[in-house]
Amino acid sequence: MAAPSRRKDHHTLMSDSKTARTEDPSRRWRSHHDDEELVHFRIVRFMIESGIKLRMTSVPMATAAIIYHRFFSVCRLHDYDPYLIGMTAISLASKVEEEHLKIRDVINVCYRTRHKAKLPLESQTELADLRQAMASCELLIMRVLGFNVTKELPHKYLLHYLKTLGDWMDASVWNRTPIRDTAWAMLRDLYHGKVCLQHKAQHIAVAVLYFSLLCYGIEVPLTNQAETEWWKVFSDDISEEQIKNIIEQIMDVYDLEKRL
């Protein structure tokens, strides 16, 4: 199948200059650093911004990020237009999670998110070309992922863990400390990197909660007296070393933001 990266200019969502036609495609996405992790960070941030404008909920946005990262875990970045892959991942995730979006809306919002200073797409030819590019790209992604685009997400586990921990904690401490908001924000942010692919959903949820408590210096009541660590109650097959490893990977994602 012809790769979307072997694209004509009208298939290139992000091409900004005539020189892009002869430029090495990989350099378009490395304006600051020749670093693939940084490129993926920027693309996922673009996807999240577009998803928010499209009023996507957290689960489809997480699924889109996972589809994107899984694709580039198999394929080389410089072979494909990452923004086209990201835009297509948004559309595909909306179908997977049954939160359907109109392709025209996805195209227009993603284009405007990337090109804030430009006018919206008005040419029916450009829209038709991008629609066709997305259709080809979706089929490519499906083939690359073996037609398996689902992955268990940490969201339901984090929701349960937060509810349970909130019942354990002193109400005054729990209500005045933004542990819940921090945990959800941290979970959203970690999708900028590939940590979301490398660990079980339950383990990610535990690590996010552990890190959130650590950030505010909050201890779970009776921790020193309990026979079992609180995080073992949530996931009996995780170790503290694994938790700290996930936390380090989350911190690495935040370090990427500083390099933008």
Side-chain angles (χ1 to χ4, degrees):
M1 175 181 172
S5 63
R6 315 303 185 194
R7 53 226 185 234
K8 299 178 181 179
D9 281 344
H10 56 246
H11 281 182
T12 306
L13 184 65
M14 305 305 149
S15 180
D16 282 315
S17 68
K18 295 180 180 178
T19 58
R21 298 179 185 180
T22 56
E23 183 184 4
D24 176 357
S26 63
R27 291 186 180 179
R28 296 177 212 167
W29 325 119
R30 294 173 173 80
S31 58
H32 300 296
H33 299 277
D34 188 16
D35 185 328
E36 289 195 359
E37 288 186 343
L38 199 58
V39 175
H40 294 316
F41 184 99
R42 288 200 297 269
I43 303 301
V44 174
R45 187 169 67 174
F46 151 80
M47 292 169 64
I48 290 175
E49 183 180 350
S50 299
I52 290 171
K53 292 175 181 177
L54 288 163
R55 299 183 180 180
M56 295 176 74
T57 58
S58 58
V59 169
M61 283 200 286
T63 298
I66 285 175
I67 290 171
Y68 172 86
H69 285 305
R70 286 182 62 199
F71 179 85
F72 281 113
S73 293
V74 177
C75 299
R76 296 186 304 174
L77 177 62
H78 72 265
D79 284 340
Y80 298 93
D81 176 347
Y83 285 96
L84 178 58
I85 300 297
M87 180 173 68
T88 305
I90 289 173
S91 178
L92 183 55
S94 75
K95 299 175 185 177
V96 172
E97 301 298 342
E98 298 186 352
E99 195 174 285
H100 298 284
L101 297 170
K102 294 180 180 179
I103 293 179
R104 185 188 183 95
D105 291 341
V106 175
I107 291 172
N108 283 325
V109 168
C110 288
Y111 185 87
R112 292 288 291 138
T113 300
R114 177 58 178 158
H115 297 296
K116 294 181 173 63
K118 289 188 176 182
L119 295 173
L121 284 172
E122 294 183 356
S123 168
Q124 293 302 313
T125 301
E126 288 181 327
L127 284 169
D129 286 341
L130 282 169
R131 185 187 293 269
Q132 181 58 49
M134 282 183 65
S136 298
C137 190
E138 182 175 309
L139 181 56
L140 173 67
I141 291 173
M142 294 289 287
R143 288 178 174 176
V144 167
L145 301 186
F147 293 90
N148 177 18
V149 293
T150 60
K151 187 180 188 301
E152 188 174 34
L153 299 175
H155 296 68
K156 63 182 180 181
Y157 295 105
L158 183 58
L159 183 65
H160 171 64
Y161 299 163
L162 284 168
K163 175 65 171 64
T164 303
L165 192 60
D167 292 339
W168 288 352
M169 299 285 291
D170 179 90
S172 62
V173 173
W174 185 254
N175 291 330
R176 73 167 180 263
T177 310
I179 295 170
R180 286 168 294 192
D181 292 343
T182 301
W184 286 116
M186 205 175 288
L187 180 60
R188 178 198 63 217
D189 293 343
L190 66 81
Y191 285 99
H192 286 79
K194 292 187 178 181
V195 59
C196 56
L197 302 183
Q198 297 166 349
H199 303 278
K200 293 174 61 175
Q202 298 97 314
H203 293 182
I204 291 175
V206 168
V208 163
L209 186 52
Y210 186 107
F211 195 11
S212 299
L213 292 169
L214 192 63
C215 287
Y216 294 102
I218 303 297
E219 290 189 2
V220 176
L222 304 177
T223 295
N224 296 330
Q225 302 173 32
E227 295 181 1
T228 304
E229 298 284 359
W230 66 266
W231 35 267
K232 278 282 188 183
V233 175
F234 291 143
S235 182
D236 59 9
D237 63 341
I238 193 172
S239 66
E240 191 164 22
E241 182 179 355
Q242 288 175 297
I243 292 173
K244 291 180 178 178
N245 179 43
I246 295 172
I247 290 173
E248 286 181 5
Q249 290 180 280
I250 294 172
M251 292 176 68
D252 288 342
V253 172
Y254 285 117
D255 285 340
L256 285 173
E257 186 176 20
K258 298 176 184 177
R259 295 165 52 196
L260 289 176

